[in-house]
Amino acid sequence: MQPQSQLMYAHIHFHLLPPLTIHSHAFYLPAKRLRSGNFTTTTTKDVIFGLRWYNRSLSYGCSISNSVKGGVNEVQQLKLNQQEVKRAYPFHEIEPKWRRFWEENHTFRTPDDDIDTSKPKYYVLDMFPYPSGAGLHVGHPLGYTATDILARYKRAQGYNVLHPMGWDAFGLPAEQYAIETGTHPKITTVQNINRFRAQLKSLGFSYDWDREISTIEPEYYKWTQWIFLQLLKRGLAYQAEVPVNWCPALGTVLANEEVVDGVSERGGHPVIRKPMRQWMLKITAYADRLLDDLDDLDWPESVKEMQRNWIGRSEGAEMQFCVLDTDEKERDIKIVVYTTRPDTIFGATYLVVAPEHPLLSSLVSTAQSKHVEEYIDLASRKSDLERTELQKEKTGVFTGCYAKNPANGEAIPIWVADYVMGSYGTGAIMAVPAHDSRDFEFALMYGVPVRWVVMPDDRSIFESGKAFSGEGTIVNSSNTEVGLDINGLSSKEAISKIIEWAENIGSGKRKVNYKLRDWLFARQRYWGEPIPVSFLNDTGETVPLHETELPLMLPELDEFTPTGTGEPPLSKAVEWVKTTDGLSGRPATRETNTMPQWAGSCWYYLRFMDPNNSEELVDKKKERYWSPVDVYIGGAEHAVLHLLYARFWHKVLFDIGVVSTKEPFQCVINQGIILGEVQYMACRDQDGNLISADSVDMLNENNLESIPEEKVTKSGDSFVLKDNPDIRLIARAHKMSKSRGNVVNPDDVVSAYGADSLRLYEMFMGPLRDSKQWSTSGIEGVHRFLGRTWRLIVGSPLADSTFKDGTSSVDEEPTLEQLRTLHKCIAKVTEEIEGTRFNTGISAMMEFLNAAYKWDKHPKSVIEAFVLLLSPYAPHLAEELWSRLGHTKSLAYEPFPKANPAYLKDSTITLPVQINGKTRGTIQVEETCTEEDAFTVASRDEKLSKYLAGKSIKKKIYVPGKILNLVLDRQNVKVGTK
C-alpha cells in the first residue's frame, strides 16, 4: 500500500477552472454553500453566465491558444500544476478489489430460467450507447449512475432487478472511418465496444453483463430481420418513390436530422433532394394509437407534447380548386388542398403548390417555365427542416397559371413555394394571408391581395397590420350564386357549414390529417442489417426470405466507398447479391440497401429479457414478467424519433401476440447535459482594443479572445481582468465536445479521485433532469465527504499511513438522539431516491455524517444502516466498510433500511416558564422531560437565570408538556425601598 501522504499527480486533459454553479437551486458542499447563478441562453449549445459566486480551491496551470476562431478557444494542454492531491481514503485499492469480486461472483446476474416470479420485478434501462472511438466523457455516466442507484436500491428492497447493457453498434460513423482508413467497420466497432465496456466497468455499475447484446451480432439482427418480415406480411413495409436527402459524397440517404444548412452533419458535404425508390414502414397506420396511448405514460409532459406535435393530428377538409386556362375556362385538372380552416375559404387569394407536387409540370406556363425549373433546383438543395423554419424569408415563383376559388368564383394565382411540403397533406394549400402568418409574409413580399374574412372580438387586432390566425366572427363571406352565406357565424359554425356545402356540390370532404410521414427505412450503406428480401430477375417480384433462412448475414467487403451511381456498397458483393429463390428455384437479386441504425435500437429492450433464445424473439413467459420497462433513462435528443419508432414496433408486436403490453416504456426520464468548465472571453473592437462585454450589443465571435484563469478576478457579480478591472469578461460554458477541447475523460477523474467520487459528484451537481456545469474542484468536496466517512468508521491512519483492520464502531445500543438522526436520514434518502432527487439524498447523508462526528461512540447498528444508505451511490466504499463491519457476503442484496416513524417525530416542545405567576420566557425540552430536567434547563437559560440568581425556590409547579411555574421565597425578593 502506498503511504497516504504520498503525492499523486493526475494529468487531466481538460480545462480546470474555478468551481462555478449555474443551478437554479442551492446545494451543499462540506462547510460551503454554493449559490445559484444567473444565465441566459444565446444558442442551444452556448450559455453566457452572469455568475454571482465562485470559489477557488486549487491552482491550475494551462496553455491556451491566444486567439479564438469562431469564439471558441482550444485547450492545447492542461494538467495539474505541481498541486498536491492527497487520497482521502485508499480507493485505489478498494475499488479494483470489489469490481473483481462482483465479476468473479456474478453478483448482479439476474436469474434467467430459475427466477422467482412471485417476487416483484423492476426493469431499469439506459438508452444503450453507440460505441464511438472517442470513448466516454463525464456526461455519459450521469444517466448510467442514476439507473444504477435505482437498480441497487430496488435489489435491496427485495425486487428481481433487470439492469442490462448493450451496444447500438451499426451506423454511419464506423462506415466513414472504414472508408477513410481501410479498416473493416467490425474491427473498429469491436475495439470501441471493448473500450466502452472497460470504462463502464471501472465505474462499478451493477449491470448483468451476462445479458450483454450488440446489434451487429447475427444472433441479434436475425430477429431484427424477422420483425421486418412480419411488417412486410402485414403491408406495413413497402417500396415507394419518394424524395430523399441524397448526399453524393457519402453515397447515402440522410435523415432530416442528419442535414444541417444544406450539408451533411458528418463531413459537411452538399445534400440534394431527389426521388429514389426506397423501403418505407407504414407508421402512419398507427398514428392514432401512438397519439392516444401517450396519455397513460409517466413521461415528461414536454416529451409527450413533442411526440403529439410530430404526429400532428389535425381535423379539417380537403377542398378542390379547378385549374383555369388562358381564357379562364375550367380545365380537367383539379388541385386538392388540405386546410384546417375551411371557414376562411373566401379569404383565399392564391394557391401554393410544393416544388415536388406531381401536377406542377402541367401548371407552368411557357413564360414561367425557366424560373420554375431554377426554383425547383434551388429547393431540392434544402432539407425539410430548413424549408419549414418559421423565421426564414419566404420565397416562391408564380407558375403563370390560375385556379378558381369554388366559394366566390374568383381566379386566383398559383405559386410554387418551398414553405409548402409535398409530404404533408396534399402538397398544396389555399393561402389566406389575412389569417396565416406565413401566407401574410409571402403576400406582402409578392404583392398578393390580403382579404379579412374573420373578425376578432378585439378590433384592435384588425388594426395592428398583422395576420390574425384565431377564431372570431365571419365577414365578407357570401356568394348567392353558389348558395353560400356564412357571414355572422362563429368560426366553428362556419367550418361545419362549409364542409357540408362542399360535400353536397362534390368539391370537398371532411378529412383528418397527420404531419407524421411513413418511415423511410433504407440506407445506401454497408454497415447495417441486410434487408431479407430479393427480387426475381425475370419479373422483378419481391420475394421475402423464409424465416428458417435467417439471419441473412452481412457479407465481408474490403472496399466500402460509395459507388457514385446511387447503388449501395453491398452491390459490390457480386456473389452475395446473386441468389436463387428458395421456392421456385428462379434466379434472383438480393436487396442491397441496408436498414437504418434505428432498426436495432427499436426492440433491444425485449432481447435483454431473453438474450440467448435462438427459437423466438423473446419467451412469452419472460416477456409477461418483465414488461414493460419500469424506468428508461436517456438524453432528450431521443425524445421523438427513437421513442416513437420503438413504440410503433412494439404495437405491431403487440398486435401479432409477441408482447403483452401496448407500450414498451412506462416511465421515461431525460437527464440533463453536463457542460464543460467555464472559459473566460474578452472582447476587442475593430481597432484591436479590449472593451468591456457589457458595451457590446452584438457579440462578434471573431473578436473574442480567450483569457487564462490566472488573469481573471471576481468583481461583484462579474468577472474582470485583474490588470484592468474596467474590462468585464464573458464567462461561458459549452456542451462538451472534442472540437471545443473541453471533454473531461472519466478515466482521468477515476484515477485521481476514484469511481465512487465521480458517481457521487455527478449526482450531487444538481437535479438529474437539469443541465449542469462540470467543476473539477467541485468533485473534491464529495471526495472529502467519502474520506470523512472512511475515517469515521475505520479510524485515522496508523503511523505507516495504513489503516487498522475492522472499524471503530462499538457493540452498544444507540442513544435516542442517534436513532433519531439515523432514521431521519433513512427517511430522507429513501424519499429522494424514489423521487430521483439524488442530490438532496446526498445532502441528507452529509448532514448525518456531520452529526455522527459529534458522538463519542458509534454503535455498530447505526453505522451499518448508514453504510447501506450510502451503498447505491458509492458501492465500492460501502462494500469495503460492510466487510470491515464483519460481514462475509456482499451487501448488494441486504435489506435497505426502513425508517421507523417513532423516531421521525419532533420530540422537543416549547415550554413556557413562569416566575411567581408571570411568564418570563420559554425553554426547549424533550416531550418526556421530568420536572427536574425542565428546571435544570430553565436555570441555565440566559434570560431566565437572571430572575433566579441568588434566589431560593419555595415551590415548583410542573405540568408536563404545558408549563413550569417557579414560586420564589418572598424573603429573598426585593419589592422596593422603605
Side-chain angles (χ1 to χ4, degrees):
M1 176 184 291
Q2 292 178 314
Q4 192 185 35
S5 60
Q6 180 177 332
L7 299 185
M8 185 189 69
Y9 298 95
H11 295 270
I12 310 295
H13 306 287
F14 50 88
H15 206 166
L16 300 173
L17 293 171
L20 299 159
T21 180
I22 61 170
H23 310 146
S24 58
H25 67 290
F27 66 98
Y28 297 89
L29 285 174
K32 295 187 183 294
R33 174 170 177 150
L34 310 186
R35 294 186 298 163
S36 64
N38 300 325
F39 63 90
T40 56
T41 302
T42 54
T43 72
T44 56
K45 293 184 178 178
D46 301 342
V47 180
I48 295 179
F49 300 93
L51 295 156
R52 295 159 35 193
W53 181 94
Y54 84 110
N55 170 61
R56 180 178 295 128
S57 61
L58 285 179
S59 173
Y60 296 98
C62 60
S63 172
I64 307 176
S65 56
N66 292 324
S67 62
V68 180
K69 187 149 190 155
V72 180
N73 70 295
E74 181 179 354
V75 180
Q76 296 173 335
Q77 185 181 9
L78 296 149
K79 61 182 178 179
L80 292 177
N81 183 32
Q82 302 300 304
Q83 178 66 43
E84 180 178 340
V85 180
K86 293 183 179 180
R87 295 189 180 101
Y89 67 101
F91 64 83
H92 60 295
E93 296 177 348
I94 293 170
E95 293 184 351
K97 166 187 172 181
W98 286 104
R99 285 196 293 272
R100 285 193 302 271
F101 177 90
W102 295 330
E103 187 155 359
E104 291 169 1
N105 292 276
H106 297 271
T107 302
F108 306 114
R109 178 184 174 273
T110 303
D112 195 9
D113 295 324
D114 54 345
I115 194 166
D116 180 3
T117 56
S118 66
K119 294 172 63 176
K121 67 90 180 180
Y122 191 74
Y123 187 178
V124 56
L125 183 65
D126 298 293
M127 292 185 184
F128 71 169
Y130 175 78
S132 69
L136 296 177
H137 63 64
V138 293
H140 292 110
L142 182 66
Y144 302 157
T145 304
T147 59
D148 196 54
I149 291 171
L150 292 171
R152 289 175 178 273
Y153 170 69
K154 288 295 184 179
R155 281 192 202 96
Q157 286 194 318
Y159 284 73
N160 286 325
V161 172
L162 184 57
H163 186 39
M165 176 51 72
W167 317 104
D168 186 14
F170 276 126
L172 184 58
E175 182 159 332
Q176 285 302 113
Y177 186 78
I179 293 171
E180 294 165 7
T181 64
T183 308
H184 196 284
K186 182 161 187 177
I187 294 174
T188 55
T189 300
V190 170
Q191 289 173 345
N192 294 343
I193 287 173
N194 291 338
R195 173 168 165 74
F196 264 64
R197 187 192 302 109
Q199 287 184 297
L200 290 177
K201 285 187 175 183
S202 76
L203 294 171
F205 297 130
S206 61
Y207 295 124
D208 179 0
W209 287 107
D210 290 340
R211 291 177 183 259
E212 180 183 359
I213 59 175
S214 173
T215 58
I216 65 172
E217 297 302 327
E219 295 80 9
Y220 180 86
Y221 68 69
K222 165 186 177 178
W223 297 105
T224 309
Q225 293 171 336
W226 182 87
I227 295 173
F228 178 85
L229 293 178
Q230 310 316 305
L231 293 164
L232 190 62
K233 285 180 185 177
R234 288 155 182 80
L236 297 171
Y238 64 95
Q239 285 190 297
E241 192 92 0
V242 294
V244 297
N245 299 315
W246 172 253
C247 179
L250 297 178
T252 188
V253 171
L254 299 177
N256 286 332
E257 63 275 8
E258 296 172 317
V259 181
V260 180
D261 296 329
V263 298
S264 62
E265 184 179 36
R266 183 174 179 84
H269 305 295
V271 176
I272 62 172
R273 297 281 288 178
K274 77 171 188 176
M276 290 183 67
R277 190 160 183 81
Q278 297 285 288
W279 281 102
M280 309 289 292
L281 298 188
K282 201 170 185 180
I283 191 174
T284 51
Y286 283 75
D288 281 327
R289 289 167 63 182
L290 290 168
L291 194 61
D292 295 341
D293 292 344
L294 283 170
D295 295 337
D296 300 326
L297 298 177
D298 181 15
W299 290 18
E301 194 56 40
S302 59
V303 172
K304 293 200 279 189
E305 194 59 28
M306 280 191 280
Q307 291 216 354
R308 291 186 185 107
N309 293 337
W310 190 269
I311 296 168
R313 186 183 192 275
S314 61
E315 296 183 5
E318 283 186 350
M319 308 293 292
Q320 294 179 0
F321 288 71
C322 287
V323 177
L324 303 176
D325 60 19
T326 53
D327 297 327
E328 294 194 2
K329 293 182 179 180
E330 295 183 5
R331 296 167 60 184
D332 290 335
I333 302 175
K334 288 183 172 62
I335 295 178
V336 179
V337 305
Y338 173 76
T339 177
T340 59
R341 294 294 301 274
D343 57 315
T344 65
I345 191 169
F346 281 90
T349 56
Y350 65 104
L351 295 185
V352 182
V353 296
E356 55 271 17
H357 196 284
L359 294 179
L360 180 56
S361 60
S362 60
L363 303 176
V364 181
S365 67
T366 303
Q368 289 295 106
S369 61
K370 182 179 179 181
H371 300 298
V372 172
E373 286 176 8
E374 291 174 348
Y375 186 80
I376 292 173
D377 180 64
L378 184 66
S380 73
R381 302 179 188 278
K382 297 181 182 179
S383 69
D384 289 353
L385 188 61
E386 290 176 285
R387 287 173 54 179
T388 55
E389 284 178 342
L390 295 178
Q391 69 270 23
K392 81 176 187 70
E393 186 178 87
K394 303 297 179 290
T395 62
V397 173
F398 176 45
T399 64
C401 187
Y402 292 80
K404 179 182 178 181
N405 185 326
N408 56 23
E410 291 183 357
I412 58 177
I414 303 172
W415 288 72
V416 55
D418 64 9
Y419 75 88
V420 175
M421 306 296 297
S423 59
Y424 178 67
T426 63
I429 65 165
M430 65 176 203
V432 186
H435 304 293
D436 182 277
S437 58
R438 296 185 309 168
D439 299 344
F440 182 73
E441 293 174 24
F442 189 92
L444 289 183
M445 181 169 291
Y446 294 103
V448 181
V450 177
R451 180 183 299 131
W452 279 70
V453 293
V454 180
M455 187 59 63
D457 295 335
D458 182 357
R459 294 303 175 98
S460 65
I461 297 176
F462 175 73
E463 300 168 356
S464 68
K466 298 179 181 179
F468 171 63
S469 58
E471 297 181 351
T473 303
I474 305 300
V475 297
N476 302 323
S477 300
S478 177
N479 183 4
T480 56
E481 293 184 9
V482 297
L484 183 61
D485 182 3
I486 56 174
N487 281 333
L489 298 181
S490 68
S491 295
K492 288 183 179 179
E493 293 171 326
I495 287 173
S496 296
K497 190 167 183 179
I498 287 287
I499 293 175
E500 182 182 354
W501 168 80
E503 289 177 338
N504 287 338
I505 68 170
S507 65
K509 62 181 180 180
R510 190 177 302 274
K511 179 74 173 178
V512 175
N513 207 6
Y514 301 89
K515 289 182 182 178
L516 181 66
R517 301 293 91 196
D518 280 346
W519 177 6
L520 194 156
F521 196 72
R523 296 291 186 270
Q524 290 67 51
R525 301 173 186 166
Y526 165 70
W527 195 232
E529 299 94 333
I531 296 176
V533 299
S534 59
F535 307 97
L536 297 179
N537 291 351
D538 52 358
T539 64
E541 179 187 350
T542 302
V543 180
L545 196 67
H546 194 274
E547 292 177 12
T548 58
E549 299 178 79
L550 297 177
L552 174 60
M553 303 276 283
L554 192 65
E556 292 292 329
L557 278 184
D558 297 324
E559 209 272 321
F560 319 101
T561 55
T563 59
T565 63
E567 283 292 309
L570 273 182
S571 62
K572 299 177 181 180
V574 178
E575 295 304 315
W576 181 85
V577 171
K578 294 179 180 178
T579 187
T580 302
D581 174 30
L583 286 178
S584 66
R586 293 149 66 188
T589 301
R590 293 195 192 281
E591 172 62 77
T592 53
N593 285 297
T594 53
M595 299 185 196
Q597 187 175 357
W598 302 104
S601 63
C602 273
W603 70 279
Y604 72 105
Y605 59 94
L606 293 171
R607 194 60 177 173
F608 279 135
M609 300 176 187
D610 194 13
N612 301 312
N613 195 330
S614 60
E615 301 300 321
E616 54 187 334
L617 186 148
V618 60
D619 177 79
K620 287 182 171 55
K621 182 179 178 182
K622 294 175 184 177
E623 184 278 328
R624 281 194 300 271
Y625 179 70
W626 288 114
S627 287
V629 174
D630 294 283
V631 175
Y632 192 30
I633 295 183
E637 65 272 19
H638 301 299
V640 176
L641 294 181
H642 161 61
L643 290 175
L644 195 66
Y645 292 158
R647 293 179 64 219
F648 164 48
W649 275 34
H650 191 89
K651 289 181 182 301
V652 174
L653 294 174
F654 176 76
D655 290 347
I656 64 177
V658 174
V659 299
S660 59
T661 63
K662 61 182 182 179
E663 286 287 336
F665 315 117
Q666 183 55 38
C667 174
V668 167
I669 297 174
N670 297 134
Q671 84 269 17
I673 62 172
I674 294 182
L675 302 171
E677 300 207 55
V678 169
Q679 297 171 338
Y680 302 100
M681 316 294 290
C683 304
R684 291 190 182 274
D685 60 18
Q686 293 180 345
D687 298 326
N689 299 314
L690 285 171
I691 55 176
S692 187
D694 51 12
S695 65
V696 181
D697 293 329
M698 295 296 291
L699 293 176
N700 183 345
E701 296 287 324
N702 292 317
N703 292 329
L704 294 180
E705 179 177 316
S706 175
I707 302 297
E709 180 210 351
E710 59 266 21
K711 295 184 178 182
V712 179
T713 189
K714 185 79 160 48
S715 176
D717 290 343
S718 304
F719 292 93
V720 298
L721 283 175
K722 283 183 179 178
D723 296 340
N724 188 353
D726 293 332
I727 301 299
R728 188 172 70 84
L729 304 175
I730 298 167
R732 173 178 289 180
H734 302 276
K735 184 178 179 180
M736 288 186 183
S737 67
K738 288 175 63 179
S739 61
R740 295 190 183 278
N742 65 346
V743 172
V744 180
N745 188 331
D747 297 347
D748 295 327
V749 181
V750 170
S751 175
Y753 299 101
D756 285 343
S757 293
L758 176 59
R759 292 168 58 110
L760 203 67
Y761 177 59
E762 296 219 347
M763 294 297 96
F764 190 54
M765 291 171 74
L768 175 64
R769 296 161 178 81
D770 291 359
S771 293
K772 295 163 279 287
Q773 178 217 333
W774 179 265
S775 168
T776 298
S777 50
I779 199 173
E780 292 197 325
V782 295
H783 186 61
R784 286 194 296 270
F785 162 70
L786 294 177
R788 294 184 73 219
T789 300
W790 173 262
R791 291 191 299 277
L792 177 82
I793 300 173
V794 175
S796 300
L798 303 174
D800 61 355
S801 296
T802 62
F803 292 88
K804 67 178 182 179
D805 295 334
T807 68
S808 58
S809 61
V810 296
D811 287 320
E812 293 184 6
E813 287 298 315
T815 66
L816 186 60
E817 176 197 356
Q818 290 171 335
L819 289 172
R820 284 178 180 149
T821 302
L822 171 66
H823 284 270
K824 285 180 180 179
C825 183
I826 293 172
K828 185 65 173 177
V829 171
T830 302
E831 179 185 355
E832 302 307 79
I833 290 180
E834 293 280 4
T836 63
R837 297 180 294 270
F838 305 113
N839 56 320
T840 47
I842 296 170
S843 294
M845 289 187 283
M846 290 179 170
E847 291 173 8
F848 171 88
L849 194 69
N850 288 337
Y853 260 93
K854 299 175 183 178
W855 302 341
D856 294 330
K857 297 180 180 180
H858 301 98
K860 183 178 179 182
S861 60
V862 173
I863 296 302
E864 285 183 334
F866 176 68
V867 168
L868 292 174
L869 291 180
L870 181 65
S871 63
Y873 293 87
H876 305 88
L877 175 60
E879 287 276 23
E880 178 66 19
L881 295 174
W882 189 251
S883 174
R884 284 172 169 263
L885 285 163
H887 301 280
T888 57
K889 293 183 179 179
S890 167
L891 54 64
Y893 296 92
E894 288 294 323
F896 201 76
K898 292 184 179 180
N900 187 335
Y903 298 121
L904 301 180
K905 297 177 182 177
D906 191 353
S907 60
T908 60
I909 60 170
T910 301
L911 187 71
V913 179
Q914 291 184 346
I915 297 177
N916 289 339
K918 187 172 183 178
T919 301
R920 296 295 189 179
T922 60
I923 57 175
Q924 298 293 316
V925 296
E926 292 289 333
E927 205 168 18
T928 57
C929 180
T930 65
E931 177 185 290
E932 195 58 38
D933 289 338
F935 175 72
T936 301
V937 174
S939 62
R940 292 174 180 171
D941 184 84
E942 182 179 355
K943 183 178 179 182
L944 295 171
S945 61
K946 65 183 180 180
Y947 294 103
L948 303 176
K951 312 296 189 300
S952 59
I953 308 298
K954 181 178 180 180
K955 187 177 183 181
K956 299 174 185 173
I957 303 171
Y958 178 59
V959 181
K962 299 293 184 181
I963 197 167
L964 171 65
N965 188 4
L966 302 176
V967 181
L968 304 183
D969 189 338
R970 302 296 294 181
Q971 294 179 356
N972 293 319
V973 177
K974 293 180 181 179
V975 293
T977 58
K978 293 182 181 179

